[in-house]
Amino acid sequence: MGDQPLVAGRDCGPCAMCCEVLRIEALDKPELTPCAHQQGGCAIYPDRPPACREFYCGWRALPFVGAHWYPPDSGMMVFPLASEKRLTVHVDPARADAWRQEPYATDLANWAQAARRMGMRLAVVVGRQEVAVLAE
Ligand code: SF4
Ligand code: SF4
């Protein structure tokens, strides 16, 4: 577990989107590739590497990311990289237009305004393709 504050009342449940999106060096797992240990749950959960233990997506960690952004519901995972002043929205290629639909499109427009003010980059990625840069 990481030690950052998390949004109260949110649990990953059956979601495993980060297990596909993240690059896990310790496992030689490339980004955007399903983890071999993801078998309807993490098969090595007690021994999963720190990169897995410490990661929380935006839905878990960022209060401004509304409940409707739960990845299995929205088809999207918000990936915050504060150290690089980046917020990336990874969209499930099977639902490539999810980010254009409401209420997500309005949320993204609002986040883009805030990101510009803070000098942050906000981008939308579908699979390996960056389809929109909303702020930079
Ligand atoms: S993408 Fe977010 S909600 Fe889904 S498993 Fe990862 S941390 Fe949990
Ligand atoms: S080791 Fe477990 S927690 Fe880490 S990416 Fe693989 S399935 Fe997910």
Side-chain angles (χ1 to χ4, degrees):
M1 287 284 184
D3 55 7
Q4 72 263 49
L6 295 174
V7 180
R10 294 185 185 176
D11 292 306
C12 295
C15 180
M17 196 162 175
C18 55
C19 298
E20 176 163 346
V21 170
L22 292 180
R23 183 168 76 97
I24 310 286
E25 250 180 61
L27 299 173
D28 280 332
K29 186 190 106 46
E31 64 178 355
L32 301 169
T33 305
C35 178
H37 300 294
Q38 178 49 238
Q39 296 163 16
C42 177
I44 59 165
Y45 191 78
D47 302 316
R48 68 201 189 287
C52 304
R53 291 173 187 275
E54 291 163 9
F55 178 81
Y56 291 101
C57 72
W59 182 78
R60 291 293 315 266
L62 302 174
F64 68 82
V65 176
H68 52 285
W69 281 87
Y70 179 50
D73 294 338
S74 66
M76 293 176 277
M77 186 190 94
V78 179
F79 188 167
L81 254 180
S83 59
E84 298 180 18
K85 301 196 90 175
R86 278 200 287 155
L87 197 66
T88 304
V89 176
H90 286 274
V91 184
D92 178 352
R95 299 168 63 182
D97 282 335
W99 65 282
R100 297 182 192 276
Q101 293 166 4
E102 295 296 352
Y104 306 105
T106 296
D107 284 348
L108 288 169
N110 291 334
W111 296 356
Q113 283 188 6
R116 271 183 230 113
R117 283 197 297 272
M118 294 187 292
M120 289 189 68
R121 189 170 201 274
L122 172 62
V124 178
V125 176
V126 179
R128 296 186 181 280
Q129 191 180 1
E130 190 170 82
V131 296
V133 177
L134 304 175
E136 63 181 337

